[in-house]
Each structure stands twice: as C-alpha cells, then as structure tokens.
Amino acid sequence: MAETPPQSKDADASQSSPPVDKIVTTQHKIVIGGREITYTVQCGTIVLREEAEKKDPPGASDGHKPKAEVFFVAYLRDDEPDSRARPLTFSFNGGPGSSSVWLHLGVLGPKRVDMGDAGALKPPPFGLTDNEHSLLDVTDLVFIDPVGTGYSRAVVGEADKQFHSFTKDIHSVGDFIRLFCTRHLRWKSPKYLIGESYGTLRAAALSEYLQDRHGMYLNGIMLVSSILNFGTARFDAHHDLPHILFLPTYTATAWYHRALAPDLQADLRAAVAAARAFAGGEYASALLAGASLSDGERAQIAAKLARFTGLSADYCERADLRIEIFRFCKELLRAQGRTVGRLDSRFTGYDRDSVGENPGYDPSMSAIMGPYTSALYDYVRGELKFESDLTYDILSERTHLNWSYKEFEDRYVDASDALRRAMSNNPHLRVTVLNGYFDLATPFFATEYTFNHLGLPRDLRANVSMHYYEAGHMMYVHAPSLAQMKRDLAAFLAGEA
C-alpha cells in the first residue's frame, strides 16, 4: 500500500490560519441614459463572525468567532460628491438555495446576460453585454450570496446547514448588511432591499430584523415576483385558495398561446380582469360550496373555468373544478405534445411522457440556467478578477431540499406579518411589487391577495405600489419588460412611485 506523503508545514499553517477577507477592487465605466458613469467594483468574500462565548476559541478575532465567508459584488459610483448620501441597495435572489446572479446579471448590474427570449433564444456559448437599464445611475448596488450559494461557504469546522433555515438565513444576511454599512460609512445612506421569489420573503423578514436587531430603518423594499405567504401557492388537499389565486395566470398563459375564445383573446388585461372577477366571485363561491353544488351549477362553473383556462369543460369537470399547476402545464398544449413553463409560461418544451400529469422539466428554467451560469463564471474571473476554484452554486438543490422551516411547524411559511410590523414601526418604509403575467411560480393574483390581507392601516396602504409585465418570473429576460422595470424602479427610488 502506498504511503500518504506528509503534509508540509506551509499546508498545516494554511489549514490552521484564521480565514480573512478576500476582496478584489477594479475600476470600470458604462454609459447609462446617454451619460458615462465611472464606478468601482468590490468583489470577493467577507468573513462573517459571531460573538464567541466564554474564552476566545482558535481563530476568533476580538472575541468573535469566524462562521462563514460570504461572497458579494458591490458596485459603487465614483463621481458622487458625498457617497454617504447616495442610495444603497442590497440585492439577493431566492430558492431558497439560489445565488444572486439572476437580479445581478439580469436587470440591476451594469452587465446583463445576452440570451434572447422565448421563441428566439441564442445558442451557446453565451455572453454579457452592457446593461443600459442598470440601476447604477441612481443607486449603489450590493449583491449578496447567502451561505451555501454562489461562492459563499461556512468556514472550516462549521457546517453550511446551520445557515439553512428561515431564521438563521435572515440573521446572516442581515448581519452582512450591517457589517457592510459600518465598514463603508453608509449608515446615513438611504437604504433599500430588492429580492426575487423567496428573496421577497427574505426581504420582508429582514426589514423587521434590521430594525429590531440593528436599529437600521430602511427607506424601501422592491419585491420581484413576490411570495410572502406559502399558503397562497401550496396545492394541498382541502385547500382551495391556490386554485382561485392561480386562475388569472392560467388565463394569461392561455392568452399567450392563443387558446382562449376570440373575445378574451382580444386584450390581455381585459381577459385577466375578467378572470380575476370570476376567480374571486363565482369560482370561489363554487369551491366553497363543494358537494352542495347542483349538477347544473357545477356544469356552468366547469364551462366558465374552461373558458378562462383554455382547457376543455370535460377536463375541468373531471378535475373536480380544481386545476393543479402542473396539470395545467401539461394539459394546455397537450394536443401539440408540448408543456408550458412554470417560471415563465411563454416558454414551452417537450416531455417524453406526453400523456402524464407532471412535466419532466421546466423549459423556462432550462432556457436561462446555461446562459447565466457561463456568463457569471467568465465575468467574475475575467473582468472582476476574483479567482476561485470552488463551484459557483447558481442554484443549490442540496441547500433547497434541506432548508428548515421549523419556525412554521404545522402552518404555512408566512413573512407578511413581519413586513406589516416593520411598516407600522417605520411609516416611511415604502414597498413596490413587480409581477409577471406569465409567472406560474408566484402568481400576481396571489400577491395581490397577500397584500390585500396584510392588515395595514389605511394611511399606510399608499406606501405599497404594484407593477405588471408581459413576461414571467424573471420578467427581465423580456426586453420591453426590462426597460419598463428600469423606469418603475428608478421612479420608486426617487420617491415618485
């Protein structure tokens, strides 16, 4: 048996030495709105520490024990006379288990992925282009990868899984934000959060945590494809709410694929408005009635449900008037042998099992994963000069599957009340919500329902605004939606919406 060579003293030292920040600074410029902007990028990892109990353990610094190395990319505009007065926005995505790449290279940062869109996707290899719709002209930007995503990892001797719970995730991201603001003298800056998908739930809970733990009061929160209450999207037995809340998105999807009657096909917003009225009225009453519906009433509801979904009345009847999301994705274009996407129902794909009830994959996720992954790897090492041989976990399935929601045992995960409390304690906190008509992951009617039941006093309801786009969950892959997002978000940051 071959002997294992002894480790060198240098190797032993590197393993026992405490972790340190690894940050690379580079200079760049871009033209936004016809004006050239110079900016500094800080890219790398910051060591996140916790106060150590009792005596200092090995590796502790000033009584603080290293826990994780958090990867971030910060964009700081150079030509500001007083950077401390400039807005500062912290960005993250969701999953849980997702890195911040989607908002980073999709809409906010000075570079964006050049991948095309539904029906006109570009082939690999994929690249980046200057993002003329970046928000860098109106706010500095910091993109955070929570522990277990991107290049963020627990330090040696610590486990990533300790960060993979609702509460610990909020604490670690919030502590990073406090540390960044302290080191960069940004406590006096107007501060904003922007999250996407599960990141909206994180943003809602963070708004309360930052206030309560660190005394940091935010100016605003931007929620992209929001889900604050999981009860709006869980198709569980005897739980009819998602069937009601998904229906207008089914209508929008059927409209896009030209599966509606001519009168509904004429205008997307009119069709969606009619679907909202039916879903919240006759349809909700019918589901509440259950078996007490007469045969005639049941047939009428099945016919109307078919009208708003593009499915057959017979299918709606056999489904007990309740269309589960994946059944819809399979059934709408079944005659063509195609499946519609969950994240963006404009995208379609082909399953081997064309007669099954569950899609084999999400064609919208498959369309964007490759372009964003290759672009991120090339950009961070090639242009931002940060080098790491670790896998950049774009979307960590291991993190997602092992996430703990123990705080919500025996009930649905819900951060809406945390947002209500934060807004009540800080009446200057404003919220804007961006919704995609073709998003079957976080449907817009479900978001409207959540905010309509937030329990805000009347004088605070004006602090919430909603915007809608003819795209899906990542609505920024659609060029017109990306341009509109810039206008809407810039107006929000300027206090105009």
Side-chain angles (χ1 to χ4, degrees), residues 135-355:
L135 280 182
L136 185 56
D137 58 334
V138 294
T139 178
D140 288 342
L141 299 162
V142 183
F143 298 93
I144 307 168
D145 287 343
V147 180
T149 74
Y151 287 133
S152 297
R153 302 288 192 274
V155 301
V156 174
E158 299 287 342
D160 279 357
K161 67 180 181 180
Q162 68 181 288
F163 296 94
H164 298 165
S165 69
F166 174 85
T167 297
K168 188 62 176 180
D169 172 69
I170 300 303
H171 291 179
S172 59
V173 175
D175 294 346
F176 172 92
I177 291 172
R178 177 204 62 82
L179 184 60
F180 187 94
C181 289
T182 300
R183 290 186 178 180
H184 289 77
L185 296 176
R186 299 302 294 265
W187 276 83
K188 294 183 68 176
S189 295
K191 289 175 284 296
Y192 296 85
L193 303 179
I194 182 167
E196 180 180 309
S197 197
Y198 183 88
T200 64
L201 185 142
R202 178 185 288 126
L206 267 173
S207 65
E208 182 180 43
Y209 175 74
L210 289 171
Q211 285 182 188
D212 292 352
R213 175 65 181 89
H214 298 305
M216 181 181 289
Y217 281 56
L218 301 171
N219 295 79
I221 303 175
M222 296 164 274
L223 305 178
V224 181
S225 303
S226 179
I227 180 166
L228 304 186
N229 179 356
F230 282 14
T232 62
R234 293 292 184 264
F235 287 86
D236 296 324
H238 313 298
H239 182 51
D240 285 335
L241 187 59
H243 296 286
I244 298 166
L245 300 180
F246 274 63
L247 180 56
T249 303
Y250 292 164
T251 301
T253 301
W255 176 90
Y256 182 83
H257 294 288
R258 308 197 63 79
L260 297 178
D263 62 316
L264 289 176
Q265 200 65 57
D267 181 79
L268 171 62
R269 286 163 180 77
V272 165
R276 274 196 190 97
F278 171 67
E282 287 182 86
Y283 184 52
S285 297
L287 297 189
L288 181 64
S292 68
L293 280 177
S294 68
D295 289 345
E297 291 170 329
R298 186 179 179 88
Q300 288 180 354
I301 294 298
K304 290 183 179 181
L305 185 58
R307 170 175 162 77
F308 285 112
T309 60
L311 308 179
S312 70
D314 177 66
Y315 184 88
C316 294
E317 169 71 29
R318 288 186 289 112
D320 194 27
L321 307 179
R322 293 160 175 84
I323 312 299
E324 191 267 344
I325 173 181
F326 292 119
R327 285 183 171 180
F328 176 80
C329 290
K330 286 289 288 188
E331 186 65 21
L332 180 66
L333 302 180
R334 189 184 295 276
Q336 303 173 32
R338 291 190 291 163
T339 299
V340 301
R342 172 177 173 265
L343 291 176
D344 191 327
S345 59
R346 298 175 304 140
F347 290 80
T348 62
Y350 296 91
D351 286 340
R352 177 172 181 171
D353 181 9
S354 62
V355 297

Side-chain angles (χ1 to χ4, degrees), residues 22-87:
K22 303 170 186 174
I23 301 172
V24 180
T25 301
T26 52
Q27 307 298 136
H28 308 264
K29 58 185 178 181
I30 187 176
V31 175
I32 301 176
R35 180 180 176 183
E36 183 177 88
I37 294 173
T38 61
Y39 61 96
T40 297
V41 180
Q42 294 180 357
C43 176
T45 55
I46 284 180
V47 178
L48 204 61
R49 293 178 166 85
E50 289 184 354
E51 293 186 25
E53 297 181 1
K54 300 180 181 179
K55 63 181 181 180
D56 291 354
S61 173
D62 298 328
H64 289 74
K65 181 182 179 182
K67 299 291 288 185
E69 295 175 295
V70 177
F71 181 76
F72 74 101
V73 182
Y75 296 91
L76 310 171
R77 184 168 172 173
D78 292 334
D79 59 351
E80 288 293 315
D82 183 7
S83 63
R84 287 182 289 182
R86 179 168 161 78

